[in-house]
Coordinates of all heavy atoms in Angstrom, one line a residue:
C348 N 15.7 9.7 -14.4 CA 14.8 10.8 -14.7 C 15.0 11.9 -13.7 O 15.3 11.6 -12.5 CB 13.4 10.3 -14.6 SG 12.9 9.0 -15.7
R349 N 14.8 13.1 -14.1 CA 14.9 14.3 -13.2 C 13.5 14.4 -12.5 O 12.5 14.4 -13.2 CB 15.2 15.6 -13.9 CG 15.3 16.8 -13.0 CD 15.5 18.1 -13.8 NE 15.7 19.2 -12.9 CZ 16.8 19.6 -12.3 NH1 17.9 18.9 -12.6 NH2 16.9 20.6 -11.5
P350 N 13.4 14.5 -11.1 CA 12.2 14.6 -10.5 C 11.5 16.0 -10.6 O 12.2 17.0 -10.5 CB 12.5 14.3 -9.0 CG 13.9 14.7 -8.9 CD 14.6 14.4 -10.2
V351 N 10.2 16.0 -10.8 CA 9.4 17.2 -10.9 C 8.2 16.9 -10.0 O 7.3 16.3 -10.4 CB 8.9 17.5 -12.4 CG1 8.1 18.7 -12.4 CG2 10.2 17.6 -13.3
V352 N 8.3 17.5 -8.8 CA 7.3 17.1 -7.7 C 6.8 18.4 -7.1 O 7.4 19.4 -7.1 CB 7.9 16.2 -6.7 CG1 8.4 14.9 -7.3 CG2 9.1 16.9 -5.9
P353 N 5.5 18.3 -6.6 CA 4.9 19.5 -5.9 C 5.6 19.8 -4.6 O 6.2 18.9 -3.9 CB 3.5 19.1 -5.7 CG 3.5 17.6 -5.7 CD 4.6 17.1 -6.6
D354 N 5.6 21.1 -4.2 CA 6.3 21.5 -3.0 C 5.3 21.3 -1.8 O 4.8 22.3 -1.2 CB 6.7 23.0 -3.2 CG 7.5 23.5 -2.0 OD1 8.0 22.7 -1.2 OD2 7.7 24.7 -1.9
R355 N 5.1 20.1 -1.5 CA 4.2 19.7 -0.4 C 4.4 18.2 -0.1 O 5.2 17.5 -0.6 CB 2.7 19.9 -0.8 CG 2.2 19.2 -2.0 CD 0.8 19.4 -2.3 NE 0.3 18.7 -3.5 CZ 0.1 19.3 -4.7 NH1 0.3 20.6 -4.8 NH2 -0.3 18.6 -5.7
L356 N 3.6 17.8 1.0 CA 3.6 16.4 1.4 C 5.0 15.9 1.7 O 5.8 16.7 2.2 CB 3.0 15.5 0.2 CG 1.6 16.0 -0.3 CD1 1.2 15.2 -1.5 CD2 0.6 16.0 0.7
S357 N 5.3 14.6 1.5 CA 6.6 14.0 1.9 C 7.7 14.5 1.0 O 8.9 14.3 1.3 CB 6.5 12.5 1.9 OG 6.1 12.0 0.6
Y358 N 7.4 15.1 -0.2 CA 8.4 15.5 -1.1 C 9.3 16.5 -0.6 O 10.5 16.6 -0.9 CB 7.7 16.0 -2.4 CG 6.9 15.0 -3.1 CD1 5.6 15.2 -3.5 CD2 7.4 13.8 -3.5 CE1 4.8 14.3 -4.2 CE2 6.7 12.8 -4.2 CZ 5.4 13.1 -4.5 OH 4.6 12.1 -5.2
R359 N 8.9 17.3 0.3 CA 9.7 18.3 1.0 C 10.8 17.7 1.8 O 11.9 18.2 1.9 CB 8.9 19.3 1.9 CG 8.0 20.2 1.1 CD 7.2 21.1 2.1 NE 6.4 22.0 1.3 CZ 5.5 22.8 1.9 NH1 5.3 22.8 3.2 NH2 4.8 23.7 1.2
E360 N 10.5 16.5 2.3 CA 11.5 15.7 3.1 C 12.5 15.0 2.2 O 13.7 14.8 2.6 CB 10.6 14.7 3.9 CG 11.4 13.9 4.9 CD 10.4 13.0 5.7 OE1 9.2 13.4 5.7 OE2 10.9 12.0 6.2
L361 N 12.1 14.6 1.0 CA 12.9 13.8 0.2 C 13.8 14.5 -0.8 O 14.9 14.1 -1.1 CB 12.1 12.8 -0.6 CG 11.2 11.8 0.2 CD1 10.5 10.8 -0.8 CD2 11.9 11.1 1.3
F362 N 13.3 15.7 -1.3 CA 13.9 16.3 -2.4 C 14.2 17.8 -2.2 O 13.3 18.5 -1.6 CB 13.1 16.2 -3.7 CG 12.7 14.8 -4.0 CD1 11.3 14.4 -4.0 CD2 13.6 13.8 -4.3 CE1 11.0 13.1 -4.3 CE2 13.3 12.5 -4.5 CZ 11.9 12.1 -4.5
P363 N 15.4 18.3 -2.5 CA 15.7 19.7 -2.3 C 14.8 20.6 -3.2 O 14.1 20.1 -4.1 CB 17.1 19.8 -2.9 CG 17.7 18.4 -2.7 CD 16.5 17.5 -2.9
K364 N 14.8 21.8 -2.9 CA 13.8 22.8 -3.5 C 13.9 22.8 -5.0 O 12.9 23.0 -5.7 CB 14.1 24.2 -2.9 CG 13.3 25.3 -3.5 CD 11.9 25.2 -3.0 CE 11.0 26.4 -3.4 NZ 9.6 26.3 -3.1
E365 N 15.1 22.6 -5.6 CA 15.3 22.7 -7.0 C 14.4 21.7 -7.8 O 14.2 21.9 -9.0 CB 16.7 22.6 -7.4 CG 17.3 21.2 -7.1 CD 18.8 21.1 -7.2 OE1 19.2 21.0 -8.4 OE2 19.5 21.1 -6.2
Y366 N 14.0 20.7 -7.1 CA 13.2 19.6 -7.8 C 11.7 19.8 -7.6 O 10.9 19.0 -8.1 CB 13.6 18.3 -7.4 CG 15.1 18.0 -7.5 CD1 15.9 17.9 -6.4 CD2 15.6 17.8 -8.8 CE1 17.3 17.6 -6.6 CE2 17.0 17.5 -9.0 CZ 17.8 17.5 -7.9 OH 19.1 17.2 -8.0
R367 N 11.3 20.8 -6.8 CA 9.9 21.0 -6.4 C 9.3 22.2 -7.1 O 10.0 23.2 -7.3 CB 9.7 21.1 -4.9 CG 10.4 20.0 -4.1 CD 10.0 19.9 -2.7 NE 10.1 21.2 -2.0 CZ 11.1 21.5 -1.1 NH1 12.1 20.7 -0.9 NH2 11.1 22.7 -0.5
Y368 N 8.0 22.1 -7.5 CA 7.4 23.3 -8.1 C 6.3 23.8 -7.1 O 5.7 23.0 -6.4 CB 6.8 22.9 -9.5 CG 5.7 21.8 -9.5 CD1 4.4 22.1 -9.2 CD2 6.1 20.5 -9.7 CE1 3.5 21.1 -9.2 CE2 5.2 19.5 -9.7 CZ 3.9 19.8 -9.5 OH 2.9 18.8 -9.4
S369 N 6.0 25.1 -7.2 CA 5.0 25.7 -6.3 C 3.6 25.3 -6.8 O 3.4 24.9 -8.0 CB 5.2 27.2 -6.3 OG 6.5 27.5 -5.8
Q370 N 2.6 25.5 -6.0 CA 1.2 25.3 -6.3 C 0.8 26.0 -7.6 O 1.0 27.2 -7.7 CB 0.3 25.8 -5.1 CG -1.2 25.6 -5.4 CD -1.6 24.1 -5.3 OE1 -1.0 23.3 -4.7 NE2 -2.7 23.8 -6.0
G371 N 0.3 25.2 -8.5 CA -0.2 25.8 -9.8 C 0.9 26.2 -10.8 O 0.6 26.7 -11.8
K372 N 2.2 25.7 -10.5 CA 3.3 26.1 -11.3 C 3.9 24.9 -12.1 O 5.1 25.1 -12.5 CB 4.4 26.8 -10.5 CG 3.9 28.1 -9.8 CD 3.6 29.2 -10.7 CE 3.3 30.5 -10.0 NZ 3.0 31.6 -10.9
L373 N 3.2 23.8 -12.2 CA 3.8 22.7 -12.9 C 4.2 23.0 -14.4 O 5.3 22.7 -14.8 CB 2.8 21.5 -12.9 CG 3.3 20.3 -13.8 CD1 4.6 19.7 -13.3 CD2 2.2 19.2 -13.7
G374 N 3.3 23.7 -15.1 CA 3.5 24.1 -16.5 C 4.7 25.0 -16.6 O 5.6 24.8 -17.5
E375 N 4.8 26.0 -15.7 CA 5.9 26.9 -15.7 C 7.3 26.2 -15.4 O 8.3 26.5 -16.1 CB 5.7 28.0 -14.7 CG 6.7 29.1 -14.6 CD 6.3 30.1 -13.6 OE1 5.1 30.6 -13.6 OE2 7.2 30.5 -12.8
H376 N 7.2 25.2 -14.5 CA 8.5 24.5 -14.2 C 8.9 23.6 -15.3 O 10.1 23.6 -15.7 CB 8.1 23.6 -12.9 CG 9.3 23.0 -12.3 ND1 10.1 23.6 -11.3 CD2 10.0 21.8 -12.6 CE1 11.1 22.8 -11.0 NE2 11.0 21.7 -11.7
L377 N 8.0 22.9 -16.0 CA 8.3 22.1 -17.1 C 8.8 23.0 -18.3 O 9.7 22.6 -19.0 CB 7.2 21.2 -17.5 CG 6.9 20.0 -16.6 CD1 5.6 19.4 -17.0 CD2 8.0 19.0 -16.7
H378 N 8.1 24.1 -18.5 CA 8.5 25.1 -19.5 C 10.0 25.4 -19.4 O 10.8 25.4 -20.3 CB 7.7 26.3 -19.4 CG 7.8 27.3 -20.5 ND1 8.9 28.1 -20.6 CD2 7.0 27.6 -21.6 CE1 8.8 28.9 -21.6 NE2 7.7 28.6 -22.2
S379 N 10.4 25.7 -18.1 CA 11.8 26.1 -17.9 C 12.8 25.0 -18.2 O 13.9 25.2 -18.7 CB 12.0 26.7 -16.5 OG 11.9 25.6 -15.5
L380 N 12.4 23.8 -17.8 CA 13.2 22.6 -18.1 C 13.3 22.3 -19.6 O 14.4 21.8 -20.1 CB 12.7 21.4 -17.3 CG 12.8 21.5 -15.8 CD1 12.1 20.3 -15.1 CD2 14.3 21.5 -15.3
F381 N 12.2 22.5 -20.3 CA 12.3 22.3 -21.8 C 13.2 23.3 -22.4 O 14.0 23.0 -23.3 CB 10.9 22.4 -22.4 CG 10.0 21.3 -22.1 CD1 8.6 21.4 -22.4 CD2 10.4 20.1 -21.4 CE1 7.8 20.3 -22.2 CE2 9.5 19.1 -21.2 CZ 8.2 19.2 -21.5
A382 N 13.1 24.5 -21.9 CA 13.9 25.6 -22.5 C 15.4 25.5 -22.1 O 16.3 25.8 -23.0 CB 13.4 27.0 -22.0
S383 N 15.7 25.0 -20.9 CA 17.1 24.9 -20.5 C 17.2 23.5 -19.8 O 17.2 23.4 -18.6 CB 17.5 26.0 -19.5 OG 17.3 27.3 -20.1
P384 N 17.4 22.5 -20.6 CA 17.5 21.1 -20.1 C 18.6 20.9 -19.0 O 19.7 21.4 -19.1 CB 17.8 20.2 -21.3 CG 17.4 21.1 -22.5 CD 17.6 22.5 -22.1
R385 N 18.2 20.3 -17.9 CA 19.2 20.0 -16.8 C 19.1 18.5 -16.4 O 18.5 18.2 -15.4 CB 18.9 20.9 -15.6 CG 19.0 22.4 -15.9 CD 19.0 23.3 -14.7 NE 17.7 23.3 -14.0 CZ 16.7 24.0 -14.4 NH1 16.8 24.8 -15.4 NH2 15.6 24.0 -13.7
P386 N 19.6 17.7 -17.3 CA 19.5 16.2 -16.9 C 20.2 15.9 -15.6 O 21.2 16.5 -15.3 CB 20.2 15.5 -18.1 CG 21.1 16.6 -18.7 CD 20.4 17.9 -18.5
V387 N 19.7 14.9 -14.9 CA 20.4 14.5 -13.7 C 21.7 13.8 -14.0 O 21.9 13.1 -15.0 CB 19.5 13.5 -12.8 CG1 18.3 14.3 -12.3 CG2 19.0 12.3 -13.6
T388 N 22.6 13.9 -13.1 CA 23.9 13.2 -13.2 C 23.9 11.9 -12.4 O 23.0 11.7 -11.6 CB 25.1 14.1 -12.6 OG1 24.8 14.3 -11.2 CG2 25.1 15.4 -13.4
N389 N 24.9 11.0 -12.6 CA 24.9 9.8 -11.8 C 25.1 10.2 -10.3 O 24.5 9.4 -9.5 CB 26.1 9.0 -12.2 CG 25.9 8.2 -13.5 OD1 24.7 8.1 -13.9 ND2 26.9 7.8 -14.2
G390 N 25.8 11.2 -10.0 CA 25.9 11.6 -8.6 C 24.6 12.0 -8.0 O 24.3 11.7 -6.8
E391 N 23.8 12.8 -8.7 CA 22.5 13.2 -8.2 C 21.6 12.0 -8.0 O 20.9 11.9 -7.0 CB 21.8 14.1 -9.3 CG 22.3 15.5 -9.3 CD 21.5 16.3 -10.3 OE1 21.9 16.2 -11.5 OE2 20.6 17.1 -9.9
V392 N 21.6 11.0 -9.0 CA 20.8 9.8 -8.9 C 21.1 9.1 -7.6 O 20.2 8.7 -6.8 CB 21.0 8.9 -10.1 CG1 20.4 7.5 -9.8 CG2 20.4 9.6 -11.3
R393 N 22.4 8.9 -7.3 CA 22.8 8.1 -6.1 C 22.5 8.9 -4.8 O 22.0 8.3 -3.8 CB 24.3 7.8 -6.2 CG 24.7 6.8 -7.2 CD 24.3 5.5 -6.8 NE 24.3 4.5 -7.9 CZ 24.1 3.2 -7.8 NH1 23.7 2.7 -6.7 NH2 24.1 2.4 -8.9
R394 N 22.7 10.2 -4.9 CA 22.5 11.0 -3.7 C 21.0 11.1 -3.3 O 20.6 11.0 -2.1 CB 23.0 12.5 -3.9 CG 22.9 13.3 -2.7 CD 23.6 14.7 -2.9 NE 22.8 15.5 -3.8 CZ 23.2 15.8 -5.1 NH1 24.3 15.3 -5.6 NH2 22.5 16.6 -5.9
L395 N 20.1 11.1 -4.3 CA 18.7 11.1 -4.1 C 18.0 9.8 -3.8 O 17.0 9.8 -3.1 CB 18.0 11.8 -5.3 CG 18.3 13.2 -5.6 CD1 17.7 13.6 -7.0 CD2 17.7 14.1 -4.5
T396 N 18.6 8.7 -4.2 CA 17.9 7.4 -4.1 C 18.6 6.5 -3.1 O 17.9 5.7 -2.5 CB 17.8 6.7 -5.4 OG1 19.2 6.4 -6.0 CG2 17.1 7.6 -6.5
E397 N 19.9 6.5 -3.0 CA 20.6 5.5 -2.2 C 20.2 5.4 -0.8 O 20.1 4.3 -0.2 CB 22.1 5.7 -2.3 CG 22.9 4.5 -1.9 CD 22.7 3.2 -2.7 OE1 22.1 3.3 -3.9 OE2 23.0 2.1 -2.2
P398 N 19.9 6.6 -0.1 CA 19.4 6.5 1.3 C 18.2 5.6 1.5 O 17.9 5.2 2.6 CB 19.2 7.9 1.7 CG 20.0 8.7 0.7 CD 20.0 8.0 -0.6
Y399 N 17.4 5.4 0.4 CA 16.2 4.7 0.6 C 16.2 3.3 -0.1 O 15.2 2.6 -0.3 CB 15.0 5.5 -0.1 CG 15.1 6.9 0.3 CD1 15.5 7.9 -0.5 CD2 14.8 7.3 1.6 CE1 15.6 9.3 -0.1 CE2 14.9 8.6 2.1 CZ 15.3 9.6 1.2 OH 15.3 10.9 1.6
S400 N 17.4 2.8 -0.3 CA 17.6 1.4 -0.9 C 17.6 0.4 0.3 O 17.9 0.7 1.4 CB 18.9 1.3 -1.6 OG 20.0 1.3 -0.8
W401 N 17.1 -0.8 -0.1 CA 17.1 -1.8 0.9 C 18.5 -2.2 1.5 O 18.6 -2.5 2.7 CB 16.4 -3.1 0.4 CG 16.4 -4.2 1.4 CD1 17.2 -5.4 1.4 CD2 15.6 -4.3 2.5 NE1 16.9 -6.1 2.5 CE2 15.9 -5.5 3.2 CE3 14.7 -3.4 3.1 CZ2 15.3 -5.9 4.4 CZ3 14.1 -3.8 4.3 CH2 14.4 -5.0 5.0
L402 N 19.5 -2.1 0.7 CA 20.8 -2.3 1.2 C 21.2 -1.4 2.3 O 22.0 -1.7 3.2 CB 21.8 -2.2 0.0 CG 21.8 -3.3 -1.1 CD1 22.7 -3.0 -2.2 CD2 22.1 -4.7 -0.4
M403 N 20.7 -0.2 2.3 CA 21.0 0.8 3.3 C 20.1 0.7 4.5 O 20.5 1.1 5.6 CB 20.9 2.2 2.7 CG 21.9 2.6 1.6 SD 23.6 2.6 2.2 CE 23.5 4.2 3.1

Side-chain angles (χ1 to χ4, degrees):
C348 299
R349 183 183 182 87
V351 178
V352 298
D354 188 13
R355 58 177 180 258
L356 310 172
S357 59
Y358 296 128
R359 290 178 175 173
E360 185 176 339
L361 302 185
F362 307 119
K364 179 68 175 176
E365 63 188 284
Y366 304 109
R367 308 193 308 258
Y368 60 88
S369 302
Q370 178 71 26
K372 300 292 186 179
L373 173 59
E375 186 178 310
H376 191 88
L377 286 172
H378 186 287
S379 69
L380 291 173
F381 288 172
S383 302
R385 298 190 294 278
V387 291
T388 64
N389 283 343
E391 282 180 282
V392 168
R393 290 288 166 175
R394 187 173 69 253
L395 292 172
T396 63
E397 196 62 18
Y399 312 109
S400 70
W401 178 251
L402 290 175
M403 295 293 289

